[in-house]
Amino acid sequence: MKQEKTNAMRMLDKQKVSYDMLTYSVDDGDIDGLSVARKVGKSPELVYKTLVAQGSNSKGYYVFVIPVQCELDLKKAAKSAKEKKIELIAVKDLLEVTGYIRGGCSPIGMKKRYPVFIDEQAKDLDKIIISAGKVGFQLEITTSQLVEVTGATLSQLCK
């Protein structure tokens, strides 16, 4: 059976970046980060979620990658993005802005390239787990390669 590829996987393959794909069942509807960590058998400290916000001044979009057990601090996120204020975009706007849906939003392979910020806790990890761009699929990738591929900045983002 041919392996289904997401945009994120195709982009990593093209750049010859190695990753491990992890899959999990979505039958029970539990797609929150802590459930995903449990389902893929990994510590929640290694599993990161991708959030998208919009700046109040520039109206530009920003991508924030934070540990699943953490809450995004909007003030710290705004400071990282050099915005006066930012707000998370509505779930209904996620597909139009990123090409991804809730629970399957990857910082890699979005419709457009947006500034990416990864919580600084990731710098202490060899590898982190992020969405592969589809619900039920996760990517395990080295932190340094994720930073390189996305052009990310490591910042303090959690409350």
Side-chain angles (χ1 to χ4, degrees):
M1 195 170 112
K2 188 173 182 287
Q3 174 57 56
E4 186 180 343
K5 295 276 183 175
T6 64
N7 272 354
M9 291 178 212
R10 282 190 285 276
M11 188 172 269
L12 292 173
D13 290 345
K14 190 175 173 187
Q15 295 181 35
K16 304 209 181 336
V17 173
S18 66
Y19 59 87
D20 289 316
M21 190 184 69
L22 308 168
T23 59
Y24 61 94
S25 168
V26 296
D27 297 346
D28 59 7
D30 292 339
I31 60 168
D32 63 280
L34 292 172
S35 296
V36 170
R38 188 186 75 249
K39 290 178 180 185
V40 298
K42 300 288 183 171
S43 163
E45 288 79 41
L46 302 176
V47 182
Y48 280 58
K49 59 188 172 186
T50 303
L51 303 172
V52 181
Q54 188 172 29
S56 59
N57 299 355
S58 70
K59 296 293 179 212
Y61 294 103
Y62 302 93
V63 178
F64 298 96
V65 182
I66 63 172
V68 295
Q69 80 275 23
C70 167
E71 194 180 331
L72 182 66
D73 184 316
L74 293 174
K75 282 189 170 66
K76 289 177 182 173
K79 187 178 175 191
S80 297
K82 296 180 176 55
E83 286 276 355
K84 188 174 245 141
K85 196 173 152 206
I86 63 159
E87 297 221 0
L88 290 174
I89 66 170
V91 171
K92 67 178 177 53
D93 298 329
L94 196 60
L95 181 63
E96 185 185 333
V97 172
T98 67
Y100 292 128
I101 61 168
R102 181 184 167 273
C105 188
S106 178
I108 303 168
M110 289 188 176
K111 278 179 161 179
K112 290 186 178 152
R113 200 163 168 128
Y114 300 114
V116 175
F117 299 89
I118 301 172
D119 188 77
E120 66 182 12
Q121 294 174 60
K123 75 179 182 303
D124 300 327
L125 304 172
D126 290 335
K127 290 185 171 185
I128 66 172
I129 297 164
I130 57 169
S131 174
K134 185 174 179 173
V135 178
F137 294 82
Q138 296 288 108
L139 295 175
E140 187 170 27
I141 183 173
T142 67
T143 306
S144 59
Q145 287 183 310
L146 179 61
V147 168
E148 193 177 313
V149 167
T150 59
T153 303
L154 290 170
S155 302
Q156 212 177 15
L157 299 171
C158 292
K159 281 191 175 170

